[in-house]
C-alpha cells in the first residue's frame, strides 16, 4: 500500500502543478493568458477559435464559448415584487417551491432561530463521512523525497512505481 500511496502523492503533486497552469481563475496562468489573447482577438476581429498544432499535427482547438441570449430580469423594488409573488404570482411561486423547496427550506432553517414554516419538519443531520481531503504533495517535496527528478517522478507515477 505504501507504494500506491507514494504514487498517489506524486500524481497529486503533478495534478497541482498542472492545475496551476490550467487554472482559469489565476490571471497569470498559461490558460488564462491564452484565453485572454483569444478573447482580445475575438473583440478585435471576430476570431473565435485557434487551432493547436504540435509538429504540424492538429491536436486540439481553443474556442470562444458564447453564452446563449436569454431574457433576464432586474428586481428594482423588492417589496413590490414580494407583494406580486404572494398575490398574482402565487401560482408561479408555488411551482418554484415544488421545484426548489428543499433548498429553500434548508436556507430558511438556518435563518429562522427554531421557528419553522408550515409544512417543514426539522432534524439534526448527524456528522458523517463526506469524502476525503488530500493535502500537501507539493512537487518539490515529493520529488525530493523520492530522490528523483521531475521526469523520473512522472515515469514513477505512470508506471505503477517502477522506475529504472
Amino acid at each position: 500500500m505504501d507504494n500506491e500511496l507514494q504514487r498517489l502523492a506524486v500524481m497529486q503533486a503533478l495534478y497541482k502543478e498542472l492545475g496551476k497552469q490550467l487554472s482559469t481563475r489565476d490571471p497569470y496562468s498559461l490558460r488564462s493568458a491564452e484565453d485572454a489573447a483569444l478573447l482580445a482577438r475575438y473583440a478585435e476581429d471576430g476570431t473565435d477559435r485557434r487551432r493547436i498544432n504540435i509538429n504540424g499535427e492538429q491536436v486540439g482547438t481553443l474556442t470562444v464559448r458564447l453564452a446563449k441570449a436569454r431574457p433576464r430580469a432586474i428586481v428594482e423594488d423588492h417589496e413590490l415584487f414580494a407583494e406580486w409573488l404572494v398575490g398574482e404570482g402565487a401560482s408561479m411561486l408555488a411551482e418554484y417551491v415544488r421545484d426548489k423547496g428543499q433548498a429553500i427550506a434548508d436556507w430558511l432553517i438556518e435563518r429562522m432561530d427554531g421557528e419553522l414554516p408550515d409544512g417543514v419538519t426539522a432534524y439534526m443531520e448527524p456528522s458523517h463521512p463526506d469524502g476525503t481531503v488530500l493535502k500537501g504533495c507539493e512537487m518539490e517535496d515529493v520529488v525530493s523525497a523520492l530522490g528523483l527528478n521531475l521526469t523520473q517522478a512522472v515515469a514513477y507515477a505512470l508506471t505503477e512505481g517502477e522506475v529504472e
Side-chain angles (χ1 to χ4, degrees), residues 93-106:
L93 180 59
E95 182 179 338
Y96 181 78
V97 169
R98 276 191 296 279
D99 287 348
K100 307 289 184 187
Q102 186 60 56
I104 296 168
D106 290 343

Side-chain angles (χ1 to χ4, degrees), residues 51-63:
R51 289 188 180 117
I52 303 170
N53 296 314
I54 298 177
N55 296 326
E57 294 279 327
Q58 183 175 331
V59 297
T61 59
L62 182 63
T63 306

Side-chain angles (χ1 to χ4, degrees), residues 140-159:
E140 299 80 17
D141 298 339
V142 170
V143 171
S144 174
L146 286 169
L148 304 174
N149 63 36
L150 180 59
T151 304
Q152 292 168 322
V154 171
Y156 179 92
L158 299 177
T159 60

Side-chain angles (χ1 to χ4, degrees), residues 22-141:
L22 297 173
S23 173
T24 56
R25 293 183 178 172
D26 177 359
Y28 302 106
S29 74
L30 177 60
R31 172 66 187 268
S32 290
E34 291 301 317
D35 285 356
L38 180 56
L39 290 170
R41 293 239 356 234
Y42 179 77
E44 183 180 307
D45 63 16
T47 299
D48 68 348
R49 72 191 66 230
R50 301 269 325 271
R51 289 188 180 117
I52 303 170
N53 296 314
I54 298 177
N55 296 326
E57 294 279 327
Q58 183 175 331
V59 297
T61 59
L62 182 63
T63 306
V64 173
R65 184 180 63 236
L66 299 174
K68 291 182 181 179
R70 63 184 177 124
R72 297 293 306 243
I74 298 171
V75 177
E76 294 175 343
D77 186 324
H78 289 83
E79 289 183 28
L80 278 175
F81 181 50
E83 287 175 24
W84 180 84
L85 281 172
V86 296
E88 292 176 51
S91 65
M92 294 179 89
L93 180 59
E95 182 179 338
Y96 181 78
V97 169
R98 276 191 296 279
D99 287 348
K100 307 289 184 187
Q102 186 60 56
I104 296 168
D106 290 343
W107 180 83
L108 285 170
I109 202 138
E110 291 179 8
R111 288 160 178 79
M112 293 187 69
D113 294 326
E115 184 181 338
L116 295 173
D118 294 342
V120 174
T121 303
Y123 71 97
M124 182 60 73
E125 183 176 34
S127 177
H128 60 280
D130 193 29
T132 63
V133 176
L134 181 59
K135 292 186 176 183
C137 299
E138 300 301 328
M139 180 58 66
E140 299 80 17
D141 298 339

